[in-house]
Amino acid sequence: MKRENMENMISIKWIGVGAVFYFYGAMLKSEIIQTAHQQRLHFNNWDVSLRLLTDPYLILYFVVPIALLFFIKSIVIDFDYQILIRLGSFKKWIYYSFKNFWRMAFPLLFLWGFMSLFMAIGFPHSWEWSEVSKIASSTNTLDKLVYFFHKPIFAFIAQLLLLLFTFSLLHIAFAIIYVLTKKKNLILFL
């Protein structure tokens, strides 16, 4: 079982996902450097790390569709009455499906977090918010986080926890709806 998980994490699909994170992060990195030089502001490692982890376009158009595919696979495709009978209840099947979902989705979250930290290589290191993080601009997604979190590391941890919580709740909601209706088309529609 462990070997299968390792092979899943090192498959070509995850290399492709990592490449998307890398190139998107490189684009954000150059944008941060350009903005900092134009406005003569200092930047640090958290600017690129948190921007990659909280970017709404990346989340909405790349991460959420991948997570939805994992929801569908772990709920609809992997549903089997033999497993349901063996587990003994729908509640246990939901937990089983939840575990399978995270087995598939964990590499996505790990790779995303790793690439957001990896992209900070070459940036000045600091444990404080930078001047670039504090400016209000159309491309800066961190200016609101500065007011909620005293240190950027807390924002990083909170974002990871919120992603875990959100994906977990969505999966449980989808699984409960499927168990109650047993309609694949409804799950696909949702």
Side-chain angles (χ1 to χ4, degrees), residues 16-132:
V17 168
V20 169
F21 285 138
Y22 177 79
F23 289 118
Y24 196 82
M27 183 190 69
L28 288 175
K29 200 172 186 176
S30 66
E31 179 185 316
I32 290 166
I33 292 169
Q34 182 182 11
T35 302
H37 287 301
Q38 284 176 350
Q39 298 186 6
R40 292 183 176 85
L41 299 172
H42 297 288
F43 56 91
N44 65 24
N45 55 317
W46 293 109
D47 291 321
V48 70
S49 291
L50 284 170
R51 286 270 305 270
L52 185 60
L53 201 60
T54 61
D55 188 79
Y57 297 110
L58 182 67
I59 293 171
L60 188 62
Y61 295 116
F62 185 69
V63 175
V64 169
I66 292 173
L68 287 174
L69 288 173
F70 291 146
F71 291 155
I72 291 169
K73 181 169 180 2
S74 69
I75 294 170
V76 175
I77 296 173
D78 291 345
F79 182 79
D80 187 8
Y81 281 106
Q82 292 175 353
I83 294 172
L84 178 63
I85 291 168
R86 186 186 62 173
L87 293 172
S89 71
F90 287 115
K91 181 180 170 184
K92 289 181 182 177
W93 179 83
I94 290 172
Y95 289 136
Y96 172 81
S97 174
F98 182 73
K99 187 173 108 178
N100 283 343
F101 164 73
W102 276 113
R103 188 176 294 134
M104 289 184 290
F106 178 75
L108 174 69
L109 194 61
F110 175 78
L111 192 59
W112 192 10
F114 173 77
M115 288 307 289
S116 68
L117 292 173
F118 179 78
M119 293 310 298
I121 293 174
F123 269 37
H125 180 72
S126 174
W127 289 102
E128 302 295 327
W129 292 104
S130 70
E131 294 172 342
V132 172

Side-chain angles (χ1 to χ4, degrees), residues 128-148:
E128 302 295 327
W129 292 104
S130 70
E131 294 172 342
V132 172
S133 297
K134 295 176 183 177
I135 63 168
S137 71
S138 61
T139 59
N140 187 15
T141 57
L142 304 180
D143 61 326
K144 305 292 188 252
L145 292 176
V146 171
Y147 298 111
F148 289 108

